Amino acid sequence: AAVHHHEDEEQDLFPALRAAGTGADAGQVADLTASLCADHRALEAAWQALRAALEPICQGAPGTLEAGSVDAFAQRYALHIAREDTELLPLAGRLLDAATLDRVGRAMRARRGV
């Protein structure tokens, strides 16, 4: 589900923000979206490592999860979501009009078949 969330942001929301950002906002949008994309790649890589460790457990075989890896992933994801809540969403609310937000929402729902 996280990968789908990242895809929604990168394919729909981020381009809309880049198109709407002008002047000082353009730099803020560019910096924020680049940083969040880097977070996405790091989170996806960390999840793949955890998933590989979880696969045998899901199949009923013995397995080991390192608590530190799980905690680090959870903390990194929590920080990422906090940045989206405190930086990305307010920026989107300020830069994007209702029609653009509706278009972005429709594109995200279409990707999910909703």
Side-chain angles (χ1 to χ4, degrees):
V3 173
H4 297 306
H5 170 74
H6 299 170
E7 184 180 16
D8 285 343
E9 288 177 347
E10 292 179 20
Q11 290 191 18
D12 300 309
L13 181 58
F14 292 178
L17 283 170
R18 289 184 194 110
T22 59
D25 287 331
Q28 182 182 5
V29 167
D31 291 346
L32 180 59
T33 57
S35 178
L36 292 175
C37 284
D39 278 355
H40 290 168
R41 301 296 82 77
L43 287 164
E44 290 160 9
W47 169 243
Q48 289 306 316
L50 287 175
R51 184 176 181 159
L54 286 167
E55 284 296 326
I57 296 168
C58 290
Q59 301 299 323
T64 304
L65 284 176
E66 293 183 21
S69 296
V70 175
D71 288 342
F73 177 79
Q75 289 174 6
R76 184 167 196 163
Y77 215 100
L79 288 172
H80 178 77
I81 295 299
R83 287 188 68 206
E84 290 183 347
D85 289 345
T86 61
E87 297 177 52
L88 179 67
L89 295 181
L91 188 63
R94 184 167 60 81
L95 295 180
L96 302 180
D97 60 24
T100 302
L101 289 171
D102 181 61
R103 179 179 52 79
V104 166
R106 280 186 280 113
M108 290 177 180
R109 288 188 299 275
R111 185 174 298 107
R112 306 280 164 269
V114 177

